Amino acid sequence: NAGVTQTPKFRVLKTGQSMTLLCAQDMNHEYMYWYRQDPGMGLRLIHYSVGEGTTAKGEVPDGYNVSRLKKQNFLLGLESAAPSQTSVYFCASSYGLAGRMTGSRQFFGPGTRLTVL
Amino acid sequence: GENVEQHPSTLSVQEGDSAVIKCTYSDSASNYFPWYKQELGKGPQLIIDIRSNVGEKKDQRIAVTLNKTAKHFSLHITETQPEDSAVYFCAVSKVGSQGNLIFGKGTKLSVKP
């Protein structure tokens, strides 16, 4: 099993350009997440999905869109990139809620380092 | 909303010593508490987790303790080794949040040989 994979690993954009980050998982997980990681800020949730065809906003959703057309894939889009979106982006997946409606283990991909000039 | 504070931000220990990292949270509805290890250039890796119905959990040299009354939980690493050097993140999830995690800001652990 490859686990969670992310494409691309690195990308440099100019302000105003658009791009899509791809996340794929082969663990048959229901839930998928997109985070961004900035120095000294930990990880912050951008968007998430609790199943194929569903998406929801996280803590920092502005400037991003997502789609989950297939269970195994979760796409993160930047329509008009800004320097403030320079960050490392991580995708994660999980089986979903465990017993008693508690969180379940999230497994992370290797990340995409994005620089917006 | 939930606030997770993690201390210390950096920690340096000698090989063989113990390391302790503490996190406090604000929402009493929080009920899932994982710890992640992140090596340079890699994604976070789950190393141990605990749920609110358990006070302590141990896995070889790693243990997590939870004090629900005081709203804090701690990661304990015993007999540290150079390969334990990494950034460690705590996280919190609560009922009704769809399992979403709120992360602490991380602790950079350095283990000196």
mmCIF file of all heavy atoms in Angstrom, chain B residues 51-81:
data_model
loop_
_atom_site.group_PDB
_atom_site.id
_atom_site.type_symbol
_atom_site.label_atom_id
_atom_site.label_comp_id
_atom_site.label_asym_id
_atom_site.label_seq_id
_atom_site.Cartn_x
_atom_site.Cartn_y
_atom_site.Cartn_z
ATOM 1 N N ARG B 51 -7.870 8.218 24.125
ATOM 2 C CA ARG B 51 -9.239 8.725 24.151
ATOM 3 C C ARG B 51 -9.602 9.095 25.582
ATOM 4 O O ARG B 51 -8.942 8.680 26.528
ATOM 5 C CB ARG B 51 -10.191 7.689 23.564
ATOM 6 C CG ARG B 51 -9.817 7.334 22.134
ATOM 7 C CD ARG B 51 -10.852 6.533 21.397
ATOM 8 N NE ARG B 51 -10.337 6.147 20.077
ATOM 9 C CZ ARG B 51 -10.409 6.924 19.010
ATOM 10 N NH1 ARG B 51 -10.973 8.106 19.083
ATOM 11 N NH2 ARG B 51 -9.919 6.520 17.855
ATOM 12 N N SER B 52 -10.673 9.849 25.722
ATOM 13 C CA SER B 52 -10.988 10.459 27.011
ATOM 14 C C SER B 52 -11.391 9.463 28.085
ATOM 15 O O SER B 52 -11.436 9.812 29.259
ATOM 16 C CB SER B 52 -12.092 11.509 26.844
ATOM 17 O OG SER B 52 -13.250 10.920 26.290
ATOM 18 N N ASN B 53 -11.677 8.225 27.706
ATOM 19 C CA ASN B 53 -12.056 7.230 28.708
ATOM 20 C C ASN B 53 -10.853 6.480 29.276
ATOM 21 O O ASN B 53 -11.004 5.528 30.043
ATOM 22 C CB ASN B 53 -13.060 6.237 28.111
ATOM 23 C CG ASN B 53 -12.506 5.509 26.906
ATOM 24 O OD1 ASN B 53 -11.530 5.948 26.298
ATOM 25 N ND2 ASN B 53 -13.118 4.390 26.557
ATOM 26 N N VAL B 54 -9.657 6.914 28.882
ATOM 27 C CA VAL B 54 -8.422 6.273 29.336
ATOM 28 C C VAL B 54 -7.505 7.341 29.912
ATOM 29 O O VAL B 54 -7.407 8.441 29.370
ATOM 30 C CB VAL B 54 -7.721 5.556 28.169
ATOM 31 C CG1 VAL B 54 -6.395 4.959 28.613
ATOM 32 C CG2 VAL B 54 -8.621 4.476 27.599
ATOM 33 N N GLY B 55 -6.816 7.041 31.007
ATOM 34 C CA GLY B 55 -5.949 8.023 31.639
ATOM 35 C C GLY B 55 -4.500 7.955 31.186
ATOM 36 O O GLY B 55 -3.775 8.933 31.252
ATOM 37 N N GLU B 56 -4.089 6.761 30.708
ATOM 38 C CA GLU B 56 -2.700 6.589 30.317
ATOM 39 C C GLU B 56 -2.593 5.472 29.291
ATOM 40 O O GLU B 56 -3.342 4.497 29.316
ATOM 41 C CB GLU B 56 -1.842 6.249 31.543
ATOM 42 C CG GLU B 56 -0.366 6.124 31.241
ATOM 43 C CD GLU B 56 0.483 5.904 32.490
ATOM 44 O OE1 GLU B 56 -0.094 5.901 33.598
ATOM 45 O OE2 GLU B 56 1.707 5.749 32.361
ATOM 46 N N LYS B 57 -1.653 5.639 28.390
ATOM 47 C CA LYS B 57 -1.399 4.617 27.375
ATOM 48 C C LYS B 57 0.080 4.571 27.096
ATOM 49 O O LYS B 57 0.733 5.627 27.032
ATOM 50 C CB LYS B 57 -2.176 4.942 26.098
ATOM 51 C CG LYS B 57 -2.089 3.887 25.002
ATOM 52 C CD LYS B 57 -2.979 4.299 23.839
ATOM 53 C CE LYS B 57 -2.922 3.302 22.700
ATOM 54 N NZ LYS B 57 -3.797 3.741 21.566
ATOM 55 N N LYS B 58 0.601 3.357 26.932
ATOM 56 C CA LYS B 58 2.041 3.212 26.752
ATOM 57 C C LYS B 58 2.331 2.310 25.562
ATOM 58 O O LYS B 58 1.629 1.339 25.311
ATOM 59 C CB LYS B 58 2.661 2.624 28.014
ATOM 60 C CG LYS B 58 4.175 2.673 28.051
ATOM 61 C CD LYS B 58 4.702 2.206 29.401
ATOM 62 C CE LYS B 58 6.227 2.299 29.444
ATOM 63 N NZ LYS B 58 6.758 1.860 30.756
ATOM 64 N N ASP B 59 3.380 2.661 24.819
ATOM 65 C CA ASP B 59 3.825 1.862 23.697
ATOM 66 C C ASP B 59 5.352 1.894 23.686
ATOM 67 O O ASP B 59 5.947 2.844 23.196
ATOM 68 C CB ASP B 59 3.258 2.386 22.381
ATOM 69 C CG ASP B 59 3.652 1.528 21.188
ATOM 70 O OD1 ASP B 59 4.322 0.480 21.381
ATOM 71 O OD2 ASP B 59 3.309 1.890 20.055
ATOM 72 N N GLN B 60 5.954 0.897 24.266
ATOM 73 C CA GLN B 60 7.406 0.779 24.380
ATOM 74 C C GLN B 60 7.962 2.009 25.100
ATOM 75 O O GLN B 60 7.661 2.196 26.282
ATOM 76 C CB GLN B 60 8.024 0.567 22.997
ATOM 77 C CG GLN B 60 7.546 -0.729 22.338
ATOM 78 C CD GLN B 60 8.190 -0.998 20.987
ATOM 79 O OE1 GLN B 60 8.583 -0.106 20.261
ATOM 80 N NE2 GLN B 60 8.321 -2.278 20.651
ATOM 81 N N ARG B 61 8.754 2.838 24.438
ATOM 82 C CA ARG B 61 9.379 3.982 25.127
ATOM 83 C C ARG B 61 8.496 5.222 25.154
ATOM 84 O O ARG B 61 8.881 6.264 25.695
ATOM 85 C CB ARG B 61 10.702 4.327 24.433
ATOM 86 C CG ARG B 61 11.751 3.254 24.498
ATOM 87 C CD ARG B 61 13.075 3.730 23.915
ATOM 88 N NE ARG B 61 12.966 4.087 22.492
ATOM 89 C CZ ARG B 61 13.023 5.313 22.012
ATOM 90 N NH1 ARG B 61 13.145 6.354 22.825
ATOM 91 N NH2 ARG B 61 12.951 5.531 20.703
ATOM 92 N N ILE B 62 7.332 5.137 24.559
ATOM 93 C CA ILE B 62 6.459 6.293 24.457
ATOM 94 C C ILE B 62 5.211 6.079 25.299
ATOM 95 O O ILE B 62 4.638 4.981 25.307
ATOM 96 C CB ILE B 62 6.060 6.531 22.987
ATOM 97 C CG1 ILE B 62 7.284 6.920 22.175
ATOM 98 C CG2 ILE B 62 4.991 7.611 22.874
ATOM 99 C CD1 ILE B 62 7.012 7.016 20.687
ATOM 100 N N ALA B 63 4.789 7.124 25.996
ATOM 101 C CA ALA B 63 3.566 7.047 26.786
ATOM 102 C C ALA B 63 2.844 8.384 26.698
ATOM 103 O O ALA B 63 3.467 9.431 26.481
ATOM 104 C CB ALA B 63 3.871 6.720 28.239
ATOM 105 N N VAL B 64 1.546 8.341 26.841
ATOM 106 C CA VAL B 64 0.742 9.555 26.899
ATOM 107 C C VAL B 64 -0.135 9.468 28.142
ATOM 108 O O VAL B 64 -0.689 8.413 28.461
ATOM 109 C CB VAL B 64 -0.107 9.758 25.621
ATOM 110 C CG1 VAL B 64 -0.982 8.550 25.353
ATOM 111 C CG2 VAL B 64 -0.939 11.016 25.720
ATOM 112 N N THR B 65 -0.220 10.583 28.861
ATOM 113 C CA THR B 65 -1.090 10.662 30.031
ATOM 114 C C THR B 65 -2.110 11.769 29.807
ATOM 115 O O THR B 65 -1.814 12.786 29.164
ATOM 116 C CB THR B 65 -0.277 10.960 31.308
ATOM 117 O OG1 THR B 65 0.437 12.192 31.121
ATOM 118 C CG2 THR B 65 0.708 9.851 31.594
ATOM 119 N N LEU B 66 -3.294 11.574 30.326
ATOM 120 C CA LEU B 66 -4.384 12.524 30.142
ATOM 121 C C LEU B 66 -4.990 12.884 31.489
ATOM 122 O O LEU B 66 -5.317 12.009 32.292
ATOM 123 C CB LEU B 66 -5.476 11.925 29.247
ATOM 124 C CG LEU B 66 -6.781 12.709 29.106
ATOM 125 C CD1 LEU B 66 -6.543 14.042 28.406
ATOM 126 C CD2 LEU B 66 -7.817 11.877 28.357
ATOM 127 N N ASN B 67 -5.114 14.173 31.748
ATOM 128 C CA ASN B 67 -5.792 14.681 32.936
ATOM 129 C C ASN B 67 -6.983 15.500 32.468
ATOM 130 O O ASN B 67 -6.844 16.678 32.110
ATOM 131 C CB ASN B 67 -4.834 15.529 33.778
ATOM 132 C CG ASN B 67 -5.455 15.992 35.095
ATOM 133 O OD1 ASN B 67 -6.652 16.268 35.151
ATOM 134 N ND2 ASN B 67 -4.648 16.065 36.123
ATOM 135 N N LYS B 68 -8.157 14.877 32.453
ATOM 136 C CA LYS B 68 -9.343 15.559 31.935
ATOM 137 C C LYS B 68 -9.779 16.721 32.823
ATOM 138 O O LYS B 68 -10.278 17.726 32.339
ATOM 139 C CB LYS B 68 -10.485 14.549 31.793
ATOM 140 C CG LYS B 68 -10.308 13.583 30.649
ATOM 141 C CD LYS B 68 -11.562 12.763 30.424
ATOM 142 C CE LYS B 68 -11.839 11.865 31.599
ATOM 143 N NZ LYS B 68 -13.040 11.009 31.371
ATOM 144 N N THR B 69 -9.586 16.570 34.109
ATOM 145 C CA THR B 69 -9.998 17.632 35.031
ATOM 146 C C THR B 69 -9.214 18.901 34.771
ATOM 147 O O THR B 69 -9.774 19.998 34.714
ATOM 148 C CB THR B 69 -9.807 17.176 36.485
ATOM 149 O OG1 THR B 69 -10.554 15.979 36.701
ATOM 150 C CG2 THR B 69 -10.263 18.254 37.452
ATOM 151 N N ALA B 70 -7.909 18.743 34.616
ATOM 152 C CA ALA B 70 -7.044 19.895 34.375
ATOM 153 C C ALA B 70 -6.956 20.251 32.902
ATOM 154 O O ALA B 70 -6.351 21.264 32.554
ATOM 155 C CB ALA B 70 -5.657 19.615 34.929
ATOM 156 N N LYS B 71 -7.525 19.426 32.049
ATOM 157 C CA LYS B 71 -7.508 19.634 30.594
ATOM 158 C C LYS B 71 -6.083 19.719 30.069
ATOM 159 O O LYS B 71 -5.707 20.691 29.376
ATOM 160 C CB LYS B 71 -8.286 20.888 30.212
ATOM 161 C CG LYS B 71 -9.776 20.779 30.465
ATOM 162 C CD LYS B 71 -10.501 22.002 29.931
ATOM 163 C CE LYS B 71 -11.870 22.111 30.553
ATOM 164 N NZ LYS B 71 -12.303 23.487 30.663
ATOM 165 N N HIS B 72 -5.290 18.718 30.388
ATOM 166 C CA HIS B 72 -3.980 18.644 29.756
ATOM 167 C C HIS B 72 -3.575 17.190 29.551
ATOM 168 O O HIS B 72 -4.071 16.289 30.236
ATOM 169 C CB HIS B 72 -2.920 19.440 30.533
ATOM 170 C CG HIS B 72 -2.583 18.907 31.883
ATOM 171 N ND1 HIS B 72 -1.846 17.766 32.092
ATOM 172 C CD2 HIS B 72 -2.844 19.410 33.115
ATOM 173 C CE1 HIS B 72 -1.680 17.572 33.386
ATOM 174 N NE2 HIS B 72 -2.286 18.551 34.025
ATOM 175 N N PHE B 73 -2.711 17.003 28.575
ATOM 176 C CA PHE B 73 -2.183 15.677 28.295
ATOM 177 C C PHE B 73 -0.721 15.826 27.898
ATOM 178 O O PHE B 73 -0.295 16.887 27.428
ATOM 179 C CB PHE B 73 -3.001 14.953 27.210
ATOM 180 C CG PHE B 73 -3.100 15.655 25.879
ATOM 181 C CD1 PHE B 73 -2.453 15.145 24.767
ATOM 182 C CD2 PHE B 73 -3.863 16.810 25.723
ATOM 183 C CE1 PHE B 73 -2.559 15.764 23.535
ATOM 184 C CE2 PHE B 73 -3.972 17.445 24.504
ATOM 185 C CZ PHE B 73 -3.319 16.923 23.405
ATOM 186 N N SER B 74 0.043 14.787 28.157
ATOM 187 C CA SER B 74 1.497 14.874 27.991
ATOM 188 C C SER B 74 2.036 13.660 27.250
ATOM 189 O O SER B 74 1.522 12.557 27.387
ATOM 190 C CB SER B 74 2.187 14.985 29.351
ATOM 191 O OG SER B 74 1.778 16.161 30.041
ATOM 192 N N LEU B 75 3.098 13.919 26.502
ATOM 193 C CA LEU B 75 3.849 12.861 25.817
ATOM 194 C C LEU B 75 5.134 12.627 26.596
ATOM 195 O O LEU B 75 5.850 13.579 26.909
ATOM 196 C CB LEU B 75 4.168 13.277 24.384
ATOM 197 C CG LEU B 75 5.018 12.302 23.566
ATOM 198 C CD1 LEU B 75 4.217 11.041 23.243
ATOM 199 C CD2 LEU B 75 5.522 12.952 22.288
ATOM 200 N N HIS B 76 5.406 11.377 26.905
ATOM 201 C CA HIS B 76 6.618 11.011 27.630
ATOM 202 C C HIS B 76 7.438 10.073 26.749
ATOM 203 O O HIS B 76 6.920 9.040 26.305
ATOM 204 C CB HIS B 76 6.265 10.293 28.938
ATOM 205 C CG HIS B 76 5.352 11.064 29.824
ATOM 206 N ND1 HIS B 76 5.785 11.700 30.976
ATOM 207 C CD2 HIS B 76 4.020 11.313 29.740
ATOM 208 C CE1 HIS B 76 4.749 12.293 31.558
ATOM 209 N NE2 HIS B 76 3.672 12.077 30.832
ATOM 210 N N ILE B 77 8.687 10.443 26.538
ATOM 211 C CA ILE B 77 9.598 9.573 25.790
ATOM 212 C C ILE B 77 10.742 9.217 26.729
ATOM 213 O O ILE B 77 11.433 10.104 27.243
ATOM 214 C CB ILE B 77 10.162 10.264 24.534
ATOM 215 C CG1 ILE B 77 9.027 10.777 23.646
ATOM 216 C CG2 ILE B 77 11.040 9.291 23.746
ATOM 217 C CD1 ILE B 77 9.502 11.597 22.447
ATOM 218 N N THR B 78 10.918 7.948 26.982
ATOM 219 C CA THR B 78 12.005 7.510 27.863
ATOM 220 C C THR B 78 13.166 6.979 27.034
ATOM 221 O O THR B 78 13.011 6.639 25.857
ATOM 222 C CB THR B 78 11.524 6.400 28.809
ATOM 223 O OG1 THR B 78 11.048 5.293 28.026
ATOM 224 C CG2 THR B 78 10.398 6.891 29.715
ATOM 225 N N GLU B 79 14.334 6.953 27.673
ATOM 226 C CA GLU B 79 15.549 6.434 27.020
ATOM 227 C C GLU B 79 15.701 7.004 25.611
ATOM 228 O O GLU B 79 15.835 6.268 24.623
ATOM 229 C CB GLU B 79 15.513 4.908 26.984
ATOM 230 C CG GLU B 79 15.418 4.276 28.364
ATOM 231 C CD GLU B 79 15.197 2.765 28.281
ATOM 232 O OE1 GLU B 79 15.503 2.175 27.233
ATOM 233 O OE2 GLU B 79 14.717 2.193 29.277
ATOM 234 N N THR B 80 15.698 8.315 25.512
ATOM 235 C CA THR B 80 15.717 8.963 24.193
ATOM 236 C C THR B 80 16.936 8.567 23.374
ATOM 237 O O THR B 80 18.027 8.308 23.911
ATOM 238 C CB THR B 80 15.678 10.489 24.331
ATOM 239 O OG1 THR B 80 16.747 10.901 25.194
ATOM 240 C CG2 THR B 80 14.345 10.952 24.884
ATOM 241 N N GLN B 81 16.715 8.545 22.063
ATOM 242 C CA GLN B 81 17.766 8.190 21.108
ATOM 243 C C GLN B 81 17.863 9.290 20.062
ATOM 244 O O GLN B 81 16.893 10.034 19.848
ATOM 245 C CB GLN B 81 17.418 6.855 20.452
ATOM 246 C CG GLN B 81 17.261 5.719 21.450
ATOM 247 C CD GLN B 81 16.616 4.484 20.841
ATOM 248 O OE1 GLN B 81 16.307 4.426 19.663
ATOM 249 N NE2 GLN B 81 16.431 3.466 21.686
#
